[in-house]
Short mmCIF file of all heavy atoms in Angstrom, two decimals:
data_model
loop_
_atom_site.label_atom_id
_atom_site.label_comp_id
_atom_site.label_asym_id
_atom_site.label_seq_id
_atom_site.Cartn_x
_atom_site.Cartn_y
_atom_site.Cartn_z
N THR A 1 0.84 -1.19 0.00
CA THR A 1 0.00 0.00 0.00
C THR A 1 0.87 1.25 0.00
O THR A 1 1.97 1.27 0.57
CB THR A 1 -0.92 0.02 1.23
OG1 THR A 1 -0.12 0.03 2.43
CG2 THR A 1 -1.84 -1.17 1.25
N GLN A 2 0.36 2.28 -0.64
CA GLN A 2 1.03 3.57 -0.66
C GLN A 2 -0.03 4.66 -0.79
O GLN A 2 -1.14 4.39 -1.24
CB GLN A 2 2.03 3.65 -1.81
CG GLN A 2 1.42 3.43 -3.18
CD GLN A 2 2.47 3.39 -4.27
OE1 GLN A 2 3.65 3.50 -4.01
NE2 GLN A 2 2.03 3.24 -5.50
N PRO A 3 0.29 5.89 -0.36
CA PRO A 3 -0.72 6.96 -0.43
C PRO A 3 -1.05 7.33 -1.86
O PRO A 3 -0.27 7.08 -2.79
CB PRO A 3 -0.05 8.13 0.31
CG PRO A 3 1.42 7.85 0.21
CD PRO A 3 1.56 6.36 0.22
N LEU A 4 -2.24 7.95 -2.02
CA LEU A 4 -2.65 8.41 -3.34
C LEU A 4 -1.65 9.41 -3.91
O LEU A 4 -1.30 9.36 -5.08
CB LEU A 4 -4.04 9.06 -3.24
CG LEU A 4 -4.59 9.69 -4.52
CD1 LEU A 4 -4.85 8.62 -5.56
CD2 LEU A 4 -5.87 10.47 -4.22
N ARG A 5 -1.18 10.31 -3.05
CA ARG A 5 -0.15 11.27 -3.45
C ARG A 5 0.87 11.39 -2.34
O ARG A 5 0.54 11.30 -1.16
CB ARG A 5 -0.75 12.65 -3.73
CG ARG A 5 -1.52 12.76 -5.02
CD ARG A 5 -1.94 14.20 -5.29
NE ARG A 5 -2.91 14.67 -4.31
CZ ARG A 5 -3.30 15.93 -4.19
NH1 ARG A 5 -2.78 16.86 -4.97
NH2 ARG A 5 -4.21 16.27 -3.29
N ARG A 6 2.11 11.61 -2.71
CA ARG A 6 3.19 11.84 -1.76
C ARG A 6 3.87 13.16 -2.13
O ARG A 6 4.29 13.32 -3.29
CB ARG A 6 4.19 10.69 -1.79
CG ARG A 6 5.25 10.77 -0.68
CD ARG A 6 6.25 9.63 -0.81
NE ARG A 6 7.25 9.71 0.23
CZ ARG A 6 7.28 8.94 1.30
NH1 ARG A 6 6.34 8.01 1.45
NH2 ARG A 6 8.23 9.07 2.21
N VAL A 7 3.93 14.08 -1.18
CA VAL A 7 4.42 15.44 -1.45
C VAL A 7 5.56 15.76 -0.50
O VAL A 7 5.46 15.49 0.71
CB VAL A 7 3.29 16.48 -1.29
CG1 VAL A 7 3.83 17.89 -1.49
CG2 VAL A 7 2.17 16.20 -2.27
N SER A 8 6.62 16.35 -1.04
CA SER A 8 7.72 16.86 -0.22
C SER A 8 7.47 18.34 0.05
O SER A 8 7.42 19.15 -0.87
CB SER A 8 9.06 16.68 -0.94
OG SER A 8 9.35 15.31 -1.13
N LEU A 9 7.29 18.68 1.32
CA LEU A 9 7.08 20.08 1.72
C LEU A 9 8.45 20.73 1.86
O LEU A 9 9.23 20.36 2.75
CB LEU A 9 6.30 20.14 3.03
CG LEU A 9 5.79 21.52 3.43
CD1 LEU A 9 4.75 22.01 2.44
CD2 LEU A 9 5.20 21.48 4.83
N ARG A 10 8.75 21.71 1.01
CA ARG A 10 10.08 22.30 0.94
C ARG A 10 10.06 23.76 1.38
O ARG A 10 9.06 24.46 1.22
CB ARG A 10 10.64 22.22 -0.49
CG ARG A 10 10.78 20.79 -1.00
CD ARG A 10 11.25 20.77 -2.44
NE ARG A 10 11.34 19.40 -2.96
CZ ARG A 10 12.42 18.65 -2.86
NH1 ARG A 10 13.52 19.14 -2.28
NH2 ARG A 10 12.43 17.41 -3.35
N ALA A 11 11.21 24.20 1.94
CA ALA A 11 11.39 25.62 2.26
C ALA A 11 11.56 26.40 0.96
O ALA A 11 12.19 25.92 0.01
CB ALA A 11 12.61 25.80 3.16
N ARG A 12 10.98 27.61 0.92
CA ARG A 12 11.10 28.45 -0.27
C ARG A 12 11.86 29.74 0.01
O ARG A 12 11.89 30.63 -0.83
CB ARG A 12 9.72 28.76 -0.83
CG ARG A 12 9.00 27.51 -1.35
CD ARG A 12 7.76 27.86 -2.12
NE ARG A 12 6.71 28.40 -1.26
CZ ARG A 12 5.56 28.89 -1.70
NH1 ARG A 12 5.31 28.89 -3.00
NH2 ARG A 12 4.66 29.36 -0.85
N SER A 13 12.46 29.82 1.18
CA SER A 13 13.30 30.98 1.51
C SER A 13 14.45 30.51 2.40
O SER A 13 14.38 29.42 3.00
CB SER A 13 12.48 32.07 2.21
OG SER A 13 11.99 31.59 3.45
N ASP A 14 15.47 31.31 2.45
CA ASP A 14 16.66 30.98 3.26
C ASP A 14 16.52 31.59 4.65
O ASP A 14 15.94 32.66 4.82
CB ASP A 14 17.92 31.52 2.59
CG ASP A 14 18.11 30.98 1.18
OD1 ASP A 14 17.52 29.92 0.90
OD2 ASP A 14 18.83 31.61 0.39
N GLY A 15 17.07 30.91 5.64
CA GLY A 15 17.07 31.44 7.00
C GLY A 15 16.94 30.34 8.03
O GLY A 15 17.03 29.14 7.71
N GLN A 16 16.71 30.76 9.25
CA GLN A 16 16.56 29.80 10.34
C GLN A 16 15.11 29.35 10.46
O GLN A 16 14.18 30.14 10.33
CB GLN A 16 17.01 30.44 11.66
CG GLN A 16 17.05 29.46 12.83
CD GLN A 16 17.54 30.13 14.10
OE1 GLN A 16 17.24 31.31 14.33
NE2 GLN A 16 18.28 29.41 14.91
N LEU A 17 14.92 28.05 10.67
CA LEU A 17 13.58 27.51 10.86
C LEU A 17 13.13 27.85 12.28
O LEU A 17 13.66 27.32 13.26
CB LEU A 17 13.59 26.00 10.64
CG LEU A 17 12.24 25.28 10.67
CD1 LEU A 17 11.34 25.79 9.55
CD2 LEU A 17 12.42 23.78 10.56
N LEU A 18 12.14 28.76 12.38
CA LEU A 18 11.71 29.24 13.69
C LEU A 18 10.73 28.28 14.35
O LEU A 18 10.88 27.95 15.53
CB LEU A 18 11.07 30.63 13.55
CG LEU A 18 11.99 31.73 12.99
CD1 LEU A 18 11.23 33.05 12.89
CD2 LEU A 18 13.22 31.88 13.87
N THR A 19 9.71 27.83 13.63
CA THR A 19 8.70 26.94 14.21
C THR A 19 8.39 25.80 13.25
O THR A 19 8.48 25.96 12.03
CB THR A 19 7.40 27.70 14.53
OG1 THR A 19 6.85 28.24 13.31
CG2 THR A 19 7.65 28.82 15.51
N LEU A 20 7.99 24.65 13.81
CA LEU A 20 7.56 23.51 13.04
C LEU A 20 6.48 22.81 13.87
O LEU A 20 6.76 22.24 14.93
CB LEU A 20 8.72 22.56 12.76
CG LEU A 20 8.44 21.34 11.87
CD1 LEU A 20 7.82 21.76 10.55
CD2 LEU A 20 9.71 20.54 11.63
N ASN A 21 5.23 22.90 13.40
CA ASN A 21 4.08 22.54 14.23
C ASN A 21 3.50 21.17 13.93
O ASN A 21 2.35 20.91 14.28
CB ASN A 21 2.98 23.60 14.05
CG ASN A 21 3.48 24.99 14.37
OD1 ASN A 21 4.25 25.18 15.31
ND2 ASN A 21 3.06 25.96 13.57
N ALA A 22 4.23 20.29 13.29
CA ALA A 22 3.69 18.97 12.96
C ALA A 22 4.80 17.94 13.08
O ALA A 22 5.98 18.24 12.84
CB ALA A 22 3.09 18.94 11.56
N ASP A 23 4.41 16.73 13.46
CA ASP A 23 5.36 15.63 13.58
C ASP A 23 4.80 14.41 12.85
O ASP A 23 3.67 14.42 12.35
CB ASP A 23 5.62 15.31 15.05
CG ASP A 23 7.01 14.72 15.26
OD1 ASP A 23 7.58 14.19 14.29
OD2 ASP A 23 7.52 14.78 16.40
N VAL A 24 5.59 13.34 12.78
CA VAL A 24 5.21 12.14 12.05
C VAL A 24 3.89 11.59 12.59
O VAL A 24 3.70 11.44 13.80
CB VAL A 24 6.32 11.07 12.17
CG1 VAL A 24 5.88 9.77 11.50
CG2 VAL A 24 7.60 11.57 11.55
N GLY A 25 2.96 11.33 11.67
CA GLY A 25 1.67 10.79 12.03
C GLY A 25 0.59 11.83 12.24
O GLY A 25 -0.60 11.48 12.32
N ASP A 26 0.97 13.11 12.33
CA ASP A 26 -0.03 14.17 12.55
C ASP A 26 -0.79 14.45 11.26
O ASP A 26 -0.19 14.53 10.18
CB ASP A 26 0.64 15.45 13.03
CG ASP A 26 1.22 15.32 14.43
OD1 ASP A 26 0.83 14.35 15.12
OD2 ASP A 26 2.06 16.15 14.81
N PRO A 27 -2.11 14.66 11.35
CA PRO A 27 -2.85 15.11 10.17
C PRO A 27 -2.67 16.60 9.97
O PRO A 27 -2.59 17.37 10.94
CB PRO A 27 -4.30 14.76 10.53
CG PRO A 27 -4.34 14.82 12.03
CD PRO A 27 -2.99 14.38 12.51
N VAL A 28 -2.59 17.03 8.74
CA VAL A 28 -2.49 18.45 8.40
C VAL A 28 -3.55 18.75 7.34
O VAL A 28 -4.01 17.84 6.64
CB VAL A 28 -1.08 18.82 7.90
CG1 VAL A 28 -0.05 18.66 8.99
CG2 VAL A 28 -0.70 17.99 6.68
N PHE A 29 -3.90 20.02 7.22
CA PHE A 29 -4.99 20.42 6.33
C PHE A 29 -4.48 21.45 5.32
O PHE A 29 -3.54 22.20 5.58
CB PHE A 29 -6.15 20.99 7.14
CG PHE A 29 -6.62 20.05 8.22
CD1 PHE A 29 -6.19 20.19 9.53
CD2 PHE A 29 -7.47 19.00 7.90
CE1 PHE A 29 -6.59 19.31 10.52
CE2 PHE A 29 -7.89 18.12 8.89
CZ PHE A 29 -7.45 18.27 10.20
N GLN A 30 -5.11 21.46 4.18
CA GLN A 30 -4.70 22.36 3.10
C GLN A 30 -4.76 23.81 3.58
O GLN A 30 -5.77 24.25 4.11
CB GLN A 30 -5.58 22.16 1.89
CG GLN A 30 -5.15 22.99 0.68
CD GLN A 30 -5.97 22.65 -0.55
OE1 GLN A 30 -6.93 21.89 -0.47
NE2 GLN A 30 -5.60 23.22 -1.69
N GLY A 31 -3.67 24.55 3.39
CA GLY A 31 -3.60 25.94 3.80
C GLY A 31 -3.09 26.14 5.22
O GLY A 31 -2.77 27.28 5.61
N GLN A 32 -3.00 25.10 6.01
CA GLN A 32 -2.52 25.22 7.39
C GLN A 32 -1.03 25.54 7.39
O GLN A 32 -0.24 24.88 6.73
CB GLN A 32 -2.77 23.91 8.14
CG GLN A 32 -2.21 23.89 9.55
CD GLN A 32 -2.35 22.51 10.19
OE1 GLN A 32 -3.06 21.65 9.68
NE2 GLN A 32 -1.67 22.31 11.31
N VAL A 33 -0.64 26.61 8.13
CA VAL A 33 0.76 26.99 8.22
C VAL A 33 1.44 26.01 9.17
O VAL A 33 1.14 25.96 10.37
CB VAL A 33 0.92 28.43 8.71
CG1 VAL A 33 2.40 28.76 8.90
CG2 VAL A 33 0.30 29.40 7.71
N ILE A 34 2.38 25.24 8.62
CA ILE A 34 3.05 24.21 9.41
C ILE A 34 4.38 24.69 9.96
O ILE A 34 4.76 24.33 11.08
CB ILE A 34 3.26 22.96 8.53
CG1 ILE A 34 1.91 22.43 8.03
CG2 ILE A 34 3.99 21.87 9.29
CD1 ILE A 34 2.02 21.28 7.08
#
């Protein structure tokens, strides 16, 4: 089994990663700032 789609969420700017609000297994929603 594999997901319908697999997406790599990438950074689009340079700098320090200040916050990251999701971990493995967490559900996320379209438009949610992660």
